[in-house]
Amino acid sequence: MPLEQNPQSPDISGDLAALESQVRDDLAKTLHPSAPWLEPKTGPDGRPALDVLIVGGGQSGLATAFGLKRSQVINILVIDKAGEGKEGPWLSYARMHTLRSPKDYTGPDLDVPSLTYQSWHEARFGKEDWQKLNLILRERWAEYLLWFRRATGISVRNGCELLEIAPAANELLAATVAGDSAIETLYARKIVLATGQEAMGNWAIPEPLRHLPPTRVVRASDDIDFTALSGKTMAVIGAGATAFDNAAMALEAGAAEVHLLCRRSEMQVIQPYRWLTFRGFLRHFCDLDDAWRWRFMRAILELREGFPQPTYDRCARFPNFHLHEGSPVESARETGAQIELRMPRGTLRVDFVISGAGTEIDFAERRELKNFAGNIATWADRYQPPHDERSPRLGLYPYLADDYALTERVAGVTPWIGNIHLFAFASTMSFGPSGSSINAMTTAIPKLVHGLTRGLFRADLERHWNSFKAYDVAQAVIPRPDRAG
Ligand SMILES: Cc1cc2nc3c(=O)[nH]c(=O)nc-3n(C[C@H](O)[C@H](O)[C@H](O)COP(=O)(O)OP(=O)(O)OC[C@H]3O[C@@H](n4cnc5c(N)ncnc54)[C@H](O)[C@@H]3O)c2cc1C
């Protein structure tokens, strides 16, 4: 696999250069079978179509591209609407100091030791620093992902947004994308949507607050000017790690009072993702029948993720931080320059609200899904849980095929969506932790890559058969007596 040097990348220290050489070596030694096996199809524009278009250049998109390249699927393209290095949440709305996952969880490296975060960290900061390290700084994780991309030779077309997907001739998909200056159509046999937490919807604003102006109520994923909150009274909705991170940012910026409103009577402090982190669950959850998949994921996703102690402590050290348990917002209205929030146990007046209530599934929210949003099958379309396991919220999750492909609500209406593969948080109901989780990458990405190569191989069966029949490369030369003589 070639190493593409990026001219804009920072200088490589001696140790990093040595590590990159090790990566090249490791990849060269594990290249087998290295024979090319795909032939580009021709798009309606007369040019070769991509085998796979990967949308999203975050950790999932990069790891998928890496997995495909190792499978000799090299006619691929990764695009991301963000600028180089700005992919994913790490340098924008991720507002924690460190990752929450333990430092030894491997991820995009796909089990190649020289590509792990640990190897990069040791090369960059020394083995001793790694030993002393508690949790990975999020800026370092972002830097590591950029290095991973360079070391594996994956190029990403940044500043390129997917706007629309439609079917095209020759069993291709047509992706309309907007770049710096132009809108163009890319043709691909398959598209992977590695578009992050909000891939199939958006970050949620609870219903009672939706009518309020964006100058007063924002999502945790928005670009928030925390310095402007100095001296202000504010509320954060939600009690997950993201809600706490946003409350901490406001407190650290000098907010007068920060109220964190938790719907439940008691906050959730268990982290179910720690329990499920074992190979059996991560690898084989997707092999379970619908009843078991629903039972597990409903229990896990209804519980929601807990947060670690430092996340709580970062807020609790401020005397002007107020935690309100059992406080769902029942109604909200503007009163002059403030917002009045009504909860079962009282009323609060605040200047500003940040919603950290997680993401919700709503296919229609995403422009790139609009051509087929109405025909994406959901769990509610495919499975009716017992009465005590119902969850309308989770019923909205897409019901994916065993290769992460979208499936049709009504068969035959949009059959081409079977070539759109979703690797994002919304894949979780079908696959357990998979997209949007460092935790699961080492098992989930190979499964996705396997599904993609299986589809590409099967679709080309006739060509492979003809190629086999035409194969006439002799391995040995047998001298024959000259019979005519
Ligand atoms: C605040 C926060 C903290 C987290 N902390 C942890 C943690 O500590 N440990 C852990 O295991 N997980 C954590 N996660 C979960 C998960 O690891 C991250 O969400 C991670 O970023 C997922 O990677 P991804 O590549 O799937 O998505 P992303 O990193 O979000 O990348 C998706 C990319 O798709 C691009 N994109 C989206 N739509 C389009 C489009 N239409 N066209 C082109 N490009 C598009 C985006 O610009 C983005 O760069 C955290 C998540 C969040 C939100």
Side-chain angles (χ1 to χ4, degrees):
M1 211 171 292
L3 178 75
E4 287 168 18
Q5 285 290 353
N6 180 343
Q8 274 149 26
S9 61
D11 285 340
I12 304 168
S13 75
D15 285 351
L16 262 192
L19 180 62
E20 294 187 3
S21 165
Q22 172 82 53
V23 168
R24 275 194 297 269
D25 208 35
D26 289 347
L27 296 184
K29 284 176 180 161
T30 53
L31 203 55
H32 171 77
S34 61
W37 59 280
L38 284 153
E39 280 179 11
K41 285 196 171 195
T42 305
D45 55 0
R47 295 191 300 175
L50 295 161
D51 287 323
V52 184
L53 171 67
I54 299 169
V55 185
Q59 62 199 30
S60 300
L62 295 179
T64 305
F66 174 51
L68 285 172
K69 285 183 92 173
R70 296 196 86 198
S71 300
Q72 296 306 317
V73 183
I74 52 173
N75 174 27
I76 60 179
L77 177 67
V78 184
I79 62 168
D80 200 298
K81 63 183 177 183
E84 180 174 333
K86 299 285 186 331
E87 302 87 357
W90 311 115
L91 301 181
S92 53
Y93 68 88
R95 299 187 172 110
M96 68 285 188
H97 297 312
T98 64
L99 296 196
R100 284 179 255 273
S101 37
K103 66 176 182 179
D104 57 347
Y105 280 13
T106 53
D109 51 271
L110 304 186
D111 291 339
V112 176
S114 53
L115 279 171
T116 56
Y117 177 85
Q118 179 176 351
S119 293
W120 176 81
H121 189 101
E122 287 178 350
R124 183 98 163 71
F125 305 104
K127 280 184 190 283
E128 206 183 318
D129 196 80
W130 169 258
Q131 292 303 331
K132 283 191 284 185
L133 181 73
N134 180 22
L135 292 166
I136 298 170
L137 289 175
R138 68 179 161 77
E139 293 87 352
R140 296 256 163 87
W141 183 253
E143 197 185 333
Y144 160 72
L145 290 177
L146 264 184
W147 172 81
F148 174 86
R149 167 173 159 178
R150 191 178 69 231
T152 51
I154 293 161
S155 47
V156 177
R157 193 190 289 181
N158 284 101
C160 182
E161 179 172 8
L162 171 70
L163 303 179
E164 193 178 299
I165 306 176
N170 211 4
E171 294 182 350
L172 294 169
L173 295 168
T176 309
V177 301
D180 283 343
S181 51
I183 291 192
E184 65 173 310
T185 305
L186 301 172
Y187 295 99
R189 295 178 69 179
K190 288 185 171 290
I191 292 180
V192 174
L193 296 174
T195 39
Q197 296 265 345
E198 65 275 36
M200 299 303 267
N202 203 351
W203 289 79
I205 293 185
E207 210 283 317
L209 295 139
R210 282 188 194 160
H211 65 285
L212 295 170
T215 46
R216 297 265 164 222
V217 181
V218 296
R219 298 178 165 89
S221 56
D222 288 336
D223 186 11
I224 302 171
D225 177 9
F226 283 92
T227 56
L229 299 178
S230 174
K232 298 270 166 61
T233 297
M234 55 165 305
V236 178
I237 315 277
T242 298
F244 274 95
D245 293 339
N246 281 274
M249 290 289 287
L251 289 160
E252 289 163 7
E257 305 285 336
V258 175
H259 299 271
L260 192 133
L261 308 182
C262 167
R263 192 170 38 89
R264 295 162 197 253
S265 55
E266 265 190 29
M267 280 203 305
Q268 210 291 95
V269 290
I270 308 292
Q271 174 52 295
Y273 274 60
R274 286 293 164 89
W275 174 83
L276 58 73
T277 302
F278 55 96
R279 294 251 180 207
F281 192 93
L282 292 176
R283 190 174 289 164
H284 300 298
F285 170 82
C286 61
D287 302 328
L288 301 177
D289 63 19
D290 286 355
W292 271 113
R293 286 195 292 169
W294 178 270
R295 182 167 302 150
F296 262 120
M297 283 327 289
R298 178 189 158 275
I300 290 163
L301 293 181
E302 293 277 287
L303 200 58
R304 302 218 175 188
E305 289 194 49
F307 48 84
Q309 190 68 46
T311 303
Y312 175 75
D313 293 345
R314 194 176 158 202
C315 292
R317 71 192 173 91
F318 287 89
N320 50 339
F321 171 67
H322 310 284
L323 173 64
H324 303 263
E325 294 181 309
S327 297
V329 177
E330 293 175 328
S331 67
R333 66 184 180 109
E334 279 187 282
T335 55
Q338 288 198 305
I339 304 278
E340 188 182 88
L341 303 172
R342 280 188 180 274
M343 287 96 62
R345 295 182 196 168
T347 302
L348 261 181
R349 282 182 176 225
V350 297
D351 301 309
F352 195 68
V353 180
I354 299 177
S355 174
T359 54
E360 61 190 4
I361 304 288
D362 181 358
F363 307 144
E365 277 268 333
R366 298 288 296 206
R367 177 177 174 172
E368 66 268 35
L369 306 180
K370 77 170 190 304
N371 271 345
F372 50 94
N375 201 39
I376 301 174
T378 63
W379 269 82
D381 293 325
R382 293 293 166 83
Y383 177 67
Q384 295 309 312
H387 196 72
D388 59 343
E389 288 185 6
R390 281 192 193 160
S391 167
R393 180 174 76 89
L394 299 179
L396 297 174
Y397 276 64
Y399 185 96
L400 302 178
D402 68 352
D403 56 358
Y404 291 85
L406 301 177
T407 55
E408 289 184 282
R409 187 190 297 264
V410 180
V413 177
T414 54
W416 44 277
I417 69 172
N419 280 321
I420 302 173
H421 304 254
L422 178 71
F423 196 77
F425 186 76
S427 315
T428 303
M429 279 304 292
S430 299
F431 282 87
S434 44
S436 288
S437 169
I438 296 168
N439 197 12
M441 293 181 87
T442 189
T443 46
I445 295 276
K447 235 177 275 171
L448 169 65
V449 170
H450 177 95
L452 293 167
T453 54
R454 186 184 66 191
L456 292 168
F457 173 72
R458 282 189 182 163
D460 286 349
L461 257 189
E462 207 157 322
R463 179 172 65 77
H464 292 306
W465 175 241
N466 291 334
S467 159
F468 167 66
K469 283 196 299 181
Y471 185 73
D472 61 357
V473 181
Q475 283 228 98
V477 179
I478 314 286
R480 310 263 181 219
D482 183 353
R483 288 198 185 126

